Structures are given as C-alpha cells and as structure tokens.
C-alpha cells in the first residue's frame, strides 16, 4: 500500500477546513478549525497515526460532517490494518462528499482487504469511471476480476493499464491469465513471456506459462518452464498452478 495514498492528503476541493458543518461558524472558530485540520495533516504527513487519531476524534465531536476528518480517520485505520473501522469512516467520507475520489479509493482498499470483494469492485469501478487516470483503481480491478472469474473484464482492464504502463508486471501476468481462461492460448503467450522478463525471479509466471505451453502441445517448453518454477520455489501443477490474487496488486 502506498502510504501517501492513505495518509496526509489535504484536498484542494470541497474538503477545505470550511467544509460542510463549518460554513455558519464564527470567523475565529473557522480559523481555529482550519489550524486544527492543518495540524492533523502535518502529523499524518509524518505517518504518525498514533498522535493524529486523538486529535481527529476530538475534531469529529464538534465537526462530524466534515468529510476530510472521516478520510483522515479512515486512513489511520487503514494504516493500522483495522479494515472494518476504516470502511466505516471512509463510507462516511464518501457519503458526505460523493466526489471525494481519494476517500472512495481508500474505501475500496478497506473493503478489499476485508474480503468484501463485490463492494470493493463497485468502489473501484466508480473511481475508474470518474477518474480514469488513477491507475491503481484499474490495477485493483484486475485483481478483483481475476478473483471473481471475470476474465473478459480483467483483460479489458489489463489492456487499459498496459496502454499507459507497458511494463507493468501485474497487468502483463493477469492479461495472460485472463486470455488463457478464455481459451486464447496463443494470445496469452506474449504477455506471459513479458511478465517472465519483467520479474524473472517470480515463479508464478513460469507456472502459468508452462500450463499454456502444455495446452498448445509444446511440452518441451512447458517442461522447461516448470523446471524454472521449481527452481524458484513455486513448483505447482494443474488447478494449483493459478498464481495467488496478490500478483499484480500495488504495493
């Protein structure tokens, strides 16, 4: 997970310190609240959720309708791997500001890590539709679509990512997997071969490539790839040869 995508984001949008719940406040109160928001943001920039969370909780007592505060709290819960509570806070942030893309991205993460794949998919699909240049949304969708046995959708997302980032390992690997799932073994070869080149020390691409070669009747090539996978510590066969769903996920 990229910490900067989780913590310390000060939006230059409707998430200003004068956001919902503060418009009618006294000017002095607005300034004080703005300073509180800035102070919390500064603490989060240093990845200190332990110091930020008490201040966020205190601020939420007086300003429960400020989406940015719920985003901050949700980010801290994500950072501490408390995914259920992260989802609660991030849902509030998105409900208060449906256009808060960073909050919806983190909501998708919280749901995905809580294994609520269908809801996570909906969140990432919305982000990908409204902000198509956010590559992480497409990459997470690839992982979810493969997990949900939706190879056509996975292949579409892989191709989109590869148009922007041709050397993305996960998109190449999962495009090959998706095409193989759809029975296009010849089409699966180039992206799988590229995945092997991009990450030669990972066994999973070799395993999937071996299966594709086997389906194509290229047993010598399949044997070579299985031997390499075994050398790398990933010797698998048959239905066990599917790489785990973490392959291609952003760090």
């Amino acid at each position: 997970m990229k910490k900067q995508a989780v913590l310390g984001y000060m939006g230059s949008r409707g998430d200003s310190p004068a956001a919902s719940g503060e418009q009618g406040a006294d000017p002095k109160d607005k300034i004080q609240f703005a300073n509180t928001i800035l102070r919390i943001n500064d603490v989060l920039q240093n990845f200190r959720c332990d110091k930020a969370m008490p201040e966020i909780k205190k601020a939420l007592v007086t300003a429960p309708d400020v989406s940015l505060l719920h985003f901050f709290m949700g980010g801290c819960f994500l950072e501490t791997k408390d995914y259920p509570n992260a989802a609660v806070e991030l849902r509030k942030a998105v409900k208060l500001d449906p256009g808060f893309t960073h909050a919806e991205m983190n909501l998708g993460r919280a749901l995905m890590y809580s294994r609520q794949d269908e809801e996570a998919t909906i969140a990432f699909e919305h982000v990908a539709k409204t902000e198509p240049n956010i590559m992480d949304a497409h990459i997470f969708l690839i992982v979810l679509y493969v997990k949900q046995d939706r190879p056509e959708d996975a292949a579409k997302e892989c191709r989109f990512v590869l148009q922007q980032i041709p050397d993305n390992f996960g998109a190449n690997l999962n495009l090959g997997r998706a095409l193989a799932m759809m029975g296009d073994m010849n089409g699966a070869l180039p992206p799988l071969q590229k995945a092997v080149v991009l990450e030669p020390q990972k066994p999973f691409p070799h395993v999937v490539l071996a299966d594709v070669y086997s389906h194509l009747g290229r047993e010598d090539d399949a044997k070579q790839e299985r031997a390499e996978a075994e050398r790398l510590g990933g010797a698998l066969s048959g239905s066990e040869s599917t790489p785990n769903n973490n392959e291609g996920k952003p760090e």
Side-chain angles (χ1 to χ4, degrees), residues 116-153:
Q116 299 179 61
D117 291 342
E118 290 187 8
E119 290 186 69
T121 300
I122 292 170
F124 289 130
E125 285 176 339
H126 186 253
V127 172
K129 181 179 179 180
T130 57
E131 297 285 348
N133 290 328
I134 298 180
M135 286 297 107
D136 277 3
H138 299 279
I139 291 172
F140 277 115
L141 281 174
I142 291 169
V143 176
L144 286 165
Y145 287 151
V146 170
K147 187 176 181 181
Q148 295 167 12
D149 293 325
R150 295 171 60 180
E152 293 87 355
D153 292 323

Side-chain angles (χ1 to χ4, degrees), residues 138-139 142-143 146 154 157-159 161-162 165-178 191-192 194-196 198-199 202 205 243-250:
H138 299 279
I139 291 172
I142 291 169
V143 176
V146 170
E157 294 298 327
C158 287
R159 290 189 176 104
V161 171
L162 291 172
I165 317 171
D167 290 339
N168 182 277
F169 166 73
N172 278 287
L173 171 62
N174 285 305
L175 177 57
R177 293 172 66 191
L192 289 173
K194 187 163 186 178
V196 167
L198 290 169
E199 295 285 353
K202 290 193 174 184
N244 66 55
N245 289 305
N246 290 326
E247 290 294 335
K249 187 186 296 184

Side-chain angles (χ1 to χ4, degrees), residues 61-112:
V61 172
T62 56
D65 294 332
V66 176
S67 60
L68 188 59
L69 289 173
H70 292 287
F71 171 73
F72 284 158
M73 184 64 78
C76 283
F77 281 130
L78 263 181
E79 181 64 18
T80 57
K81 295 181 170 50
D82 186 349
Y83 303 128
N85 278 321
V88 169
E89 292 296 329
L90 293 163
R91 276 196 181 97
K92 291 178 182 178
V94 173
K95 183 177 181 180
L96 288 165
D97 184 357
F100 196 167
T101 302
H102 285 75
E104 192 161 22
M105 272 297 301
N106 281 353
L107 174 59
R109 290 184 173 97
L111 293 167
M112 184 175 180

Side-chain angles (χ1 to χ4, degrees), residues 2-29:
K2 298 177 181 178
K3 287 188 176 181
Q4 286 183 326
V6 175
L7 300 172
Y9 170 77
M10 177 64 76
S12 58
R13 316 163 40 259
D15 307 298
S16 65
S20 175
E22 288 296 303
Q23 289 89 338
D26 182 88
K28 290 183 180 179
D29 292 336

Side-chain angles (χ1 to χ4, degrees), residues 9-59:
Y9 170 77
M10 177 64 76
S12 58
R13 316 163 40 259
D15 307 298
S16 65
S20 175
E22 288 296 303
Q23 289 89 338
D26 182 88
K28 290 183 180 179
D29 292 336
K30 285 185 178 182
I31 293 172
Q32 184 178 3
F33 185 73
N35 289 334
T36 298
I37 291 286
L38 290 169
R39 184 170 60 252
I40 292 170
N41 191 70
D42 287 343
V43 173
L44 291 176
Q45 292 290 351
N46 294 315
F47 311 122
R48 292 302 305 271
C49 280
D50 56 331
K51 289 189 175 182
M53 289 181 80
E55 287 222 43
I56 300 170
K57 290 178 181 178
K58 184 178 178 181

